[in-house]
């Protein structure tokens, strides 16, 4: 078939930003998958709870301190995270580097608190089904903090390398920011479920 | 980084031959083993995916023949109970997880980028990774089977049978971990398809101009994204119960066995639609082409696809009617099980209206489409029957159910798939399949299928349970069983002829032009098979049928670079161009990442520490995958 040129794409930008960025959409899709996983874990928790004569079975409700501290810390981390998003949008390399270092440190702190959170549950995974779901929920969320931390660390190295000053990289930083927001947002219902459902 | 790459080479600077030469240079997969392992071309990967899935179909078919051999006579001694348990579990698991779902996604991997008029799928490396994961999961299952460790707990692995108490050894773990492999790959492909359809459509292909097959794959991909996490959660919980003594499914410690059934069927019912919706898209495409007119009621068809996708999630409990659930709940699920007949019926009417109004050409693909419609009506009827609780209680776990789901799965998905293969074969290989053999294939499979599976309804009503390895001569079942087994040979003969036709046509079939069927969707605007870059210039779409609207001249867009892999990002609704974007080059890292993940997953059947240690090589592979290499594709 003969071709007739009817459109010239020369003047388009050579890379899509924001909703024209593929990795943005990819991140969104993976967030949808993971959110479904998180939601299912909460459903399993509530399902088991609905079956049990007493809840939590054979254990006191979890201590509030470590989990609540972690929640406050996560919510507070949104502030520097959003600043980082702004700097990435402005493609300000120096500030983005600083922001990434801060976010890396902030990513380590919840892991430390998590180490105190597991014992604060007063139950082991192999004691009963309550223990199993509690450990799986905490574990699932911890994996997400950990993955995001590794990603942030790698991104920090990247921004200090010769590949750093590139709109594509700033897009990666924005996606990373979005993913951290997601990690924080998914924690809130899990926190409510793990700490307050046993107190109902 | 220079903005807009002012100095870069554009296709506007060259004539057609030179554009082809330069694009071929940057898009081609390098020949040789390394190139084959590193390629990210969606066509190469798609063909691989399709071929692998059909190998699994053949293997699963062999298993079913073994079962039919055993069941042909009462008290046969050919296969013992333990082996039979492995056979039906392997057959069901293999057919669902290694054949039916992957093959539909595989067709999409090959076709969707072509049909929306772009040069590669979104996230090409993820695509390569997903294939390797799929292959590894399939090998895991089959190697375990050869070593007599094949799963034997049924394709839905109900607890407590599959739990730590009753399923010693590693058979159930193999099943559960195979799930992880195939779901990872299915989810990856779903994400690629969604983003390809959202962001890589040719300029002008607004939402109401998307081909129906692409729509069906888009809806399917969303169903995958929302349904598959449930089975991942379920199989992970099962592995944990078995490996580290959690108690999810242990009633003695506050767990629950029905939890498994809920999680499984929350995925398992939509699974049927994950297989069925793409098939519907294939039928619509075939019907449109061979009646020489667009499918009647485009909007209704799209709405029916979406409605089916949504309703698919309201149905899972109908697999559990006999489990004893609250009465009101059962009524709700009966109602929604029946409601799904509405969009299905609507689509059938649209196809019939199209055929009625058009001038049908009875080629092999079209025959398969007709065979599908006929079979599907029967399968759907028995489906509405089992959706009623009292009836289901009668036939539950009998051969009536086996008959029903084979009507839905084989009639509803395999027929359209075979038609689709005859239809798109020229685009896949550059050669046409044989019409003569094709008619024989259709005849043998259609007749063989009905003779095999229709009598199973009767067997079921006569009370023959499924999953039994033999039966006593006193039972009134032997005559029909022998008949079914003989009919299965006819069916198998049809499939054999099909495979012969595929192999011979791929070698010596008639060479296909770019558009041998005079179809109207974009994959036919480029040569058969397409060049590595699909389109020398991206097509511009002005209607629902881009090739039939303008007969002689294909409107195209110019201005893309010819010195890096470049394609177009367009807006979701109107598909107006937003950016030129790079598409990843070949890379060995997806394979390495898949190897690291495979080792970790298999190792973790034996110890939980595998996850800790295995995450290190996985992380290294992922960093290698994403770390920029300073290639032109990285410029922005
Ligand atoms: C092509 C010819 C086929 C034949 C002759 C065949 C035959 C059979 C037989 C004899 C059984 C076992 C019944 C029992 O003992 O309970 C079975 C089960 C099953 N088949 Fe097929 N089948 C075929 C194709 C397929 C296809 C294409 C699919 C899916 C796409 C499929 C999915 C299943 C499933 C899910 C089961 C249930 C396994 C279980 O009970 O765990 N079959 N089939
Ligand atoms: Cu169902």
């Amino acid at each position: 078939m003969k071709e007739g040129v009817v459109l010239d794409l020369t003047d388009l930008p050579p890379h899509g930003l924001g909703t024209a960025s593929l990795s943005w959409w990819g991140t969104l899709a993976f967030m949808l998958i993971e959110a479904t996983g998180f939601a299912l874990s909460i459903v399993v928790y509530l399902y088991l709870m609905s079956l049990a004569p007493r809840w939590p079975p054979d254990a006191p409700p979890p201590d509030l301190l470590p989990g609540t501290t972690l929640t406050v810390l996560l919510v507070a981390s949104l502030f520097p995270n959003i600043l980082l998003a702004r700097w990435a949008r402005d493609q300000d390399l120096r500030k983005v580097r600083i922001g990434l270092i801060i976010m890396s440190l902030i990513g380590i702190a919840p892991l430390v608190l998590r180490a105190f959170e597991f014992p604060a549950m007063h139950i082991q995974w192999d004691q009963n089904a309550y223990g199993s779901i509690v450990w799986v929920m905490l574990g699932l969320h911890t994996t997400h903090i950990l993955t995001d931390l590794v990603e942030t660390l790698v991104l920090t190295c990247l921004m200090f390398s010769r590949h750093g000053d590139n709109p594509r990289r700033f897009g990666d930083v924005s996606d990373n920011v979005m993913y951290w927001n997601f990690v924080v947002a998914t924690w809130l219902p899990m926190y409510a479920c793990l700490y307050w459902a046993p107190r109902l | 980084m220079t903005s807009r790459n002012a100095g870069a080479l554009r296709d506007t600077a060259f004539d057609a031959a030179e554009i082809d030469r330069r694009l071929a240079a940057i898009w081609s997969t390098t020949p040789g083993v390394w190139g084959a392992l590193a390629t990210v071309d969606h066509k190469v990967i798609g063909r691989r995916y399709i071929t692998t899935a059909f190998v699994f179909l053949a293997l699963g078919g062999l298993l079913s023949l073994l079962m039919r051999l055993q069941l042909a006579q009462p008290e046969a001694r050919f296969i013992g109970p333990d082996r039979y348990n492995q056979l039906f579990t392997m057959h069901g698991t293999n057919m669902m997880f290694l054949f039916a779902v992957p093959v539909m996604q595989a067709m999409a991997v090959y076709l969707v980028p072509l049909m929306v008029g772009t040069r590669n799928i979104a996230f090409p490396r993820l695509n390569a990774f997903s294939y390797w994961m799929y292959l590894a999961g399939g090998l895991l299952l089959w190697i375990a089977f050869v070593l007599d460790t094949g799963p034997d707990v049924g394709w839905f692995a109900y607890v407590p049978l599959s739990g730590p108490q009753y399923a010693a050894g590693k058979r159930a773990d193999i099943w559960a971990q195979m799930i992880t492999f195939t779901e990872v790959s299915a989810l990856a492909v779903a994400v690629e398809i969604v983003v390809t359809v959202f962001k890589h459509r040719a300029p002008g292909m607004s939402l109401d101009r998307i081909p129906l097959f692409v729509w069906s794959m888009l809806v399917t991909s969303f169903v995958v994204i929302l349904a598959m996490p449930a089975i991942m959660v379920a199989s992970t919980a099962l592995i944990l119960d078995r490996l580290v003594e959690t108690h999810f499914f242990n009633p003695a410690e506050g767990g629950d066995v029905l939890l498994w059934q809920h999680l499984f069927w929350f995925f398992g019912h939509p699974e049927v639609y994950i297989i069925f919706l793409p098939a519907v898209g294939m039928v619509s495409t075939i019907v449109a082409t061979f009646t020489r007119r667009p499918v009647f009621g485009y909007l209704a068809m799209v709405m029916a696809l979406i409605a089916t996708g949504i309703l698919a999630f309201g149905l899972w409990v109908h697999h559990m009617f006999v489990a004893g659930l609250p009465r009101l709940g059962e009524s709700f699920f009966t109602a929604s099980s029946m409601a799904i007949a509405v969009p299905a019926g609507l689509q059938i009417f649209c196809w019939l209206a199209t055929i009625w109004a058009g001038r049908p050409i009875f080629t092999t693909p079209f025959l398969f489409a007709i065979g599908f419609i006929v079979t599907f009506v029967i399968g759907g009827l028995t489906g509405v029957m089992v959706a009623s609780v009292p009836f289901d209680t009668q036939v539950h776990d009998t051969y009536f159910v086996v008959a029903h789901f084979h009507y839905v799965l084989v009639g509803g998905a395999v027929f359209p798939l075979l038609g689709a293969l005859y239809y798109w074969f020229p685009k896949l290989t550059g050669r046409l399949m044989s019409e003569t053999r094709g008619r024989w294939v259709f005849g043998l499979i259609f007749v063989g299928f009905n003779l095999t599976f229709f009598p199973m309804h009767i067997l079921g009503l006569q009370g023959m349970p499924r999953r039994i390895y033999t039966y006593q001569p006193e039972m009134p079942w032997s005559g029909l069983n022998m008949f079914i087994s003989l009919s299965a040979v006819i069916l198998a003969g049809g499939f054999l002829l099909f495979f012969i036709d595929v192999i011979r046509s791929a070698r010596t079939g008639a060479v296909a032009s770019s558009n041998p069927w005079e179809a109207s969707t974009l994959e036919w605007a480029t040569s058969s098979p397409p060049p590595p870059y699909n389109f020398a210039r991206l097509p511009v779409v002005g209607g629902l049928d881009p090739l039939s609207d303008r007969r002689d001249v294909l409107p195209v867009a110019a201005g893309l670079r010819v010195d890096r892999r470049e394609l177009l990002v367009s807006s979701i609704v109107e598909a107006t161009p937003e950016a030129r974007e790079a598409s990843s080059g070949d890379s060995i890292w997806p394979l390495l990442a898949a190897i690291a993940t495979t080792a970790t997953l298999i190792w973790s059947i034996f110890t939980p520490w595998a996850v800790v240690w295995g995450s290190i090589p996985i992380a290294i592979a992922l960093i290698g995958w994403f770390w920029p290499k300073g290639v032109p594709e990285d410029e922005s």
Side-chain angles (χ1 to χ4, degrees):
Chain A
M1 197 181 291
K2 278 206 346 244
E3 296 185 341
V5 176
V6 296
L7 189 67
D8 191 346
L9 307 169
T10 314
D11 286 336
L12 289 179
H15 169 59
L17 292 168
T19 60
S21 149
L22 295 178
S23 59
W24 187 82
W25 285 95
T27 313
L28 212 59
F30 277 102
M31 278 166 29
L32 183 58
I33 294 172
E34 286 157 31
T36 315
F38 279 120
L40 283 166
S41 74
I42 293 179
V43 169
V44 171
Y45 182 100
L46 297 175
Y47 179 87
L48 291 170
M49 181 167 141
S50 75
L51 294 180
R54 270 177 314 104
W55 195 261
D58 309 324
D63 295 343
L64 286 174
L65 186 61
T68 311
T69 319
L70 182 127
T71 311
V72 172
L73 178 83
L74 285 183
V75 172
S77 75
L78 290 179
F79 179 67
N81 201 39
I82 285 166
L83 279 184
L84 177 57
R86 197 167 299 163
W87 296 332
R89 188 167 1 99
D90 299 343
Q91 310 200 350
D92 184 332
L93 184 60
R94 204 178 54 85
K95 284 185 179 159
V96 163
R97 284 175 175 168
I98 297 171
L100 279 171
I101 293 175
I102 295 174
M103 286 314 293
S104 302
L105 295 174
I106 290 183
I108 296 170
L111 289 177
V112 177
L113 283 169
R114 242 330 118 71
F116 292 94
E117 226 182 326
F118 281 98
M121 292 290 160
H122 299 302
I123 188 98
Q124 294 290 314
W125 68 89
D126 56 356
Q127 270 172 281
N128 58 28
Y130 166 67
S132 309
I133 184 65
V134 162
W135 277 71
V136 162
M137 284 170 77
L138 281 181
L140 189 64
H141 192 260
T142 311
T143 337
H144 279 75
I145 298 184
L146 201 61
T147 346
D148 192 277
L149 174 63
V150 174
E151 194 188 312
T152 313
L153 288 172
V154 174
L155 214 49
T156 313
C157 298
L158 196 49
M159 292 314 273
F160 278 95
S161 79
R162 71 191 164 88
H163 302 290
D165 198 7
N166 180 335
R168 216 175 268 286
R169 295 293 95 71
F170 291 111
D172 293 344
V173 175
S174 306
D175 295 341
N176 179 261
V177 165
M178 176 163 79
Y179 195 74
W180 182 256
N181 289 341
F182 170 74
V183 171
V184 176
T186 47
W187 172 247
L188 298 178
M190 294 195 114
Y191 168 74
C193 180
L194 287 171
Y195 288 90
W196 295 95
R199 292 186 154 76
L200 284 179
Chain B
M1 299 289 145
T2 50
S3 96
R4 318 265 130 139
N5 326 93
L9 295 172
R10 302 304 175 104
D11 58 10
T12 39
F14 304 105
D15 64 9
E18 183 62 15
I19 293 175
D20 282 332
R21 203 186 61 72
R22 286 177 183 262
L23 286 177
I26 51 162
W27 283 90
S28 296
T29 297
T30 40
V33 178
W34 183 265
L37 298 178
T39 183
V40 297
D41 183 337
H42 76 102
K43 297 178 293 302
V44 178
I45 294 173
R47 268 196 300 261
R48 239 178 233 175
Y49 238 122
I50 297 171
T51 313
T52 314
F54 270 95
V55 169
F56 287 128
L57 170 70
L59 288 172
L62 287 180
L63 297 183
S64 69
L65 287 181
L66 290 177
M67 290 190 285
R68 282 324 311 173
L69 187 59
Q70 164 72 8
L71 293 176
Q73 298 165 11
E75 292 198 328
R77 291 295 173 89
F78 175 59
I79 291 166
D82 178 69
R83 177 71 69 190
Y84 193 87
N85 287 347
Q86 287 187 60
L87 283 184
F88 70 69
T89 306
M90 283 291 295
H91 168 77
T93 306
N94 170 82
M95 287 299 196
M96 300 300 274
F97 295 102
L98 297 179
F99 164 65
V101 174
V103 81
M104 296 300 176
Q105 289 195 314
M107 294 294 277
V109 163
Y110 190 92
L111 291 169
V112 165
L114 290 165
M115 293 179 91
V116 301
T118 186
R119 285 176 171 167
N120 204 349
I121 198 163
F123 314 121
R125 292 184 182 175
L126 185 65
N127 195 28
F129 175 76
S130 93
Y131 173 75
W132 299 123
M133 289 300 288
Y134 161 60
L135 182 65
L139 289 177
L140 170 69
L141 185 73
W142 278 92
I143 291 174
F145 177 65
V146 170
L147 300 177
D148 200 28
T149 319
D152 55 357
V153 288
W155 83 278
F156 36 70
Y158 274 7
V159 291
L161 182 64
S162 62
Q165 226 184 336
Y166 295 97
K170 291 294 169 197
R171 288 179 172 184
D173 299 287
I174 299 283
W175 182 88
Q177 207 59 298
M178 183 276 320
I179 296 286
T180 315
F181 280 90
T182 50
E183 309 311 82
V184 165
S185 77
L187 283 166
V189 174
V191 170
E192 296 154 24
I193 301 287
V194 167
V195 178
T196 306
V197 177
F198 275 6
K199 298 310 289 178
H200 280 329
R201 299 202 310 277
M205 188 183 278
S206 48
L207 287 182
D208 55 350
R209 292 173 182 167
I210 297 180
L212 283 171
F213 175 71
V214 176
W215 262 115
S216 76
M217 284 312 309
L218 181 64
V219 177
T220 306
S221 300
F222 273 106
V223 178
V224 168
I225 287 175
L226 295 174
M228 297 245 169
I231 183 91
M232 301 262 287
V233 168
S235 66
T236 307
L238 179 62
I239 293 182
L240 291 174
D241 267 16
R242 295 173 53 85
L243 190 67
V244 296
E245 280 122 53
T246 54
H247 296 290
F248 287 103
F249 307 119
N250 176 8
E253 292 295 349
D256 183 44
V257 289
L258 279 189
L259 175 60
W260 172 267
Q261 298 193 17
H262 280 297
L263 286 173
F264 186 90
W265 290 114
F266 185 76
F267 142 84
H269 187 82
E271 165 97 337
V272 176
Y273 293 89
I274 292 168
I275 297 168
F276 172 65
L277 285 173
V280 165
M282 292 168 176
V283 171
S284 292
T285 314
I286 293 172
V287 166
T289 297
F290 294 108
T291 55
R292 297 278 177 260
R293 67 190 310 281
V295 170
F296 179 82
Y298 174 85
L299 189 64
M301 292 299 279
V302 174
M303 288 302 152
L305 286 171
I306 297 175
T308 315
I310 294 171
L311 280 174
F313 285 96
L315 298 183
W316 81 95
V317 173
H318 69 199
H319 295 268
M320 301 165 57
F321 281 156
V322 294
L325 298 162
R327 177 64 50 80
L328 181 68
E330 289 189 348
S331 310
F332 168 77
F333 285 104
T334 297
S336 59
S337 299
M338 297 195 175
I340 204 149
V342 175
L346 185 70
Q347 284 168 305
I348 290 184
F349 278 118
C350 289
W351 289 320
L352 291 181
T354 315
I355 297 172
W356 190 261
R359 285 168 285 117
I361 308 167
F362 288 86
T363 54
T364 308
F366 192 69
L367 290 179
F368 273 109
I370 305 277
F372 156 82
I373 295 175
V374 172
T375 318
F376 185 69
V377 169
I378 303 175
L381 283 181
T382 52
V384 174
M385 283 163 81
V386 282
S388 95
V389 178
F391 187 79
D392 184 55
T393 315
Q394 285 298 315
V395 298
H396 183 83
D397 268 345
T398 70
Y399 262 83
F400 191 92
V401 175
V402 177
H404 159 66
F405 65 69
H406 283 91
Y407 262 84
V408 177
L409 291 169
V410 180
V414 179
F415 284 7
L417 176 73
L418 295 180
L421 216 75
Y422 272 88
Y423 178 67
W424 276 300
F425 197 79
K427 203 43 74 179
L428 286 155
T429 64
R431 292 177 188 275
L432 289 151
M433 286 178 78
S434 149
E435 263 304 304
T436 328
R437 279 195 293 263
R439 279 156 201 277
W440 275 100
V441 168
F442 171 73
L444 285 171
I445 289 185
F446 185 79
V447 172
F449 167 77
N450 280 292
L451 292 181
T452 307
F453 288 99
F454 193 80
M456 287 191 194
H457 290 109
I458 304 171
L459 268 185
L461 292 174
Q462 289 177 350
M464 177 161 164
R466 66 192 280 201
R467 296 178 169 176
I468 51 169
Y469 81 104
T470 195
Y471 49 92
Q472 283 70 44
E474 303 87 79
M475 295 300 188
W477 305 329
S478 12
L480 272 180
N481 269 307
M482 175 56 89
F483 180 80
I484 290 172
S485 292
L486 290 176
S487 309
V489 175
I490 303 181
L491 180 56
F495 275 104
L496 186 64
L497 188 60
F498 167 75
F499 283 112
I500 292 174
D501 194 14
V502 166
I503 293 167
R504 300 211 21 197
S505 305
R507 296 227 187 106
T508 58
V511 174
S513 66
S514 61
N515 189 0
W517 311 115
E518 293 169 37
S520 63
T521 36
L522 283 181
E523 75 274 29
W524 305 105
T526 182
S527 60
S528 305
Y533 43 90
N534 289 357
F535 302 95
R537 287 193 163 117
L538 296 185
V540 175
V541 174
L544 184 54
D545 296 293
L547 298 197
S548 63
D549 293 347
R550 274 165 242 223
R551 261 148 215 87
D552 305 322
V553 188
L554 180 73
V556 293
L560 292 186
R561 284 172 59 174
V562 291
D563 57 353
R564 70 166 189 173
R565 295 191 177 186
E566 194 165 84
L567 34 67
L568 193 65
V569 173
S570 51
S571 66
I572 288 199
V573 178
E574 293 296 334
T576 36
E578 292 179 328
R580 295 177 286 115
E581 184 57 274
S583 180
S584 315
D586 294 357
S587 164
I588 197 69
W589 287 106
L591 175 60
L592 298 180
I595 292 174
T597 316
T598 301
T600 306
L601 287 177
I602 295 180
W603 189 14
S604 73
I605 296 179
F606 300 93
T607 159
W609 291 105
V611 181
V612 176
W613 298 119
S615 64
I616 297 169
I618 296 180
I620 293 174
L622 290 180
I623 293 171
W625 175 337
F626 287 104
W627 194 267
K629 315 286 188 300
V631 290
E633 278 76 16
D634 198 42
E635 289 166 17
S636 43

